[in-house]
């Protein structure tokens, strides 16, 4: 299975976990536990991998930060792994062009360290989206940043 396929799976199940019950369907504990377990398992399996270019590395850091943030599970080393992902993110962020991906990674990092410079840079990218209809992913990143601030 390709790295991109694995990233897509983790992104999908993390999104499903984070939005569980928000559509009005009942929230069942077995489904909540299953999704938490799967997000943690997928995050653990991807943690030691690296992207082949700046964009792929940024995407990997973003989905891993989001995955670890979403899951309730921790085998005692989750905070160290998050710190390593932040360190990797600090290396890749300057290499990224202004984009949705850069904004997503900035917001994910901000959600861990609450450094105002990260939210300011994300806001600058978001401000560049004014005057056009936003995609659902752009709306999600804005909502998430607003919830953190």
């Amino acid at each position: 299975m390709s790295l991109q396929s694995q990233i897509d799976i983790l992104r999908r199940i993390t999104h499903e976990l984070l939005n569980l019950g928000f559509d009005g369907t009942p929230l069942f504990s077995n489904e909540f536990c299953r999704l938490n377990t799967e997000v943690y398992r997928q995050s653990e399996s991807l943690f030691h991998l690296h992207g082949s270019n700046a964009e792929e590395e940024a995407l990997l850091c973003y989905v891993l930060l989001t995955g670890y943030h979403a899951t309730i599970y921790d085998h005692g080393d989750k905070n160290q792994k998050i710190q390593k992902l932040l360190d990797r993110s600090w290396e890749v962020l300057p290499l990224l062009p202004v984009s949705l991906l850069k904004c997503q990674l900035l917001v994910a990092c901000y959600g861990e360290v609450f450094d105002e410079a990260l939210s300011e840079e994300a806001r600058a990218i978001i401000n560049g989206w004014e005057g056009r209809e936003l995609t659902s992913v752009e709306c999600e990143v804005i909502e998430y940043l607003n919830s953190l601030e």
Side-chain angles (χ1 to χ4, degrees), residues 6-140:
Q6 293 175 72
I7 289 170
D8 291 343
I9 289 169
L10 179 55
R11 184 190 307 193
R12 182 186 53 75
I13 60 174
T14 300
H15 187 268
E16 189 177 342
L17 174 60
L18 289 171
N19 291 288
L20 195 61
F22 281 100
D23 62 357
T25 59
L27 180 61
F28 295 104
S29 61
N30 62 334
E31 181 66 4
F32 177 74
C33 289
R34 184 192 68 75
L35 283 171
N36 263 284
T37 300
E38 188 60 19
V39 167
Y40 191 76
R41 189 185 71 70
Q42 289 287 334
S43 296
E44 290 289 282
S45 71
L46 289 174
F47 176 76
H48 296 290
L49 301 178
H50 292 270
S52 60
N53 57 49
E55 283 78 15
E56 192 173 61
E57 178 69 1
L59 181 57
L60 184 57
C61 288
Y62 165 68
V63 298
L64 285 168
L65 284 169
T66 305
Y68 280 124
H69 185 80
T71 187
I72 60 172
Y73 296 119
D74 181 357
H75 292 139
D77 61 350
K78 187 160 82 169
N79 286 336
Q80 293 90 341
K81 288 180 176 174
I82 289 171
Q83 184 57 57
K84 286 182 182 179
L85 289 167
L86 290 169
D87 293 342
R88 288 167 58 180
S89 297
W90 306 149
E91 291 179 22
V92 75
L93 276 166
L95 305 176
L96 296 174
V98 172
S99 63
L100 172 60
L101 175 59
K102 185 171 189 173
C103 188
Q104 289 172 311
L105 184 55
L106 286 164
V107 173
C109 292
Y110 178 72
E112 297 298 332
V113 299
F114 295 98
D115 180 339
E116 290 301 315
L118 297 169
S119 69
E120 289 171 9
E121 190 173 353
R123 285 278 173 213
I125 293 171
I126 291 167
N127 290 341
W129 300 340
E130 289 181 7
R132 64 173 177 78
E133 189 172 331
L134 300 177
T135 67
S136 61
V137 177
E138 290 168 338
C139 290
E140 284 178 16

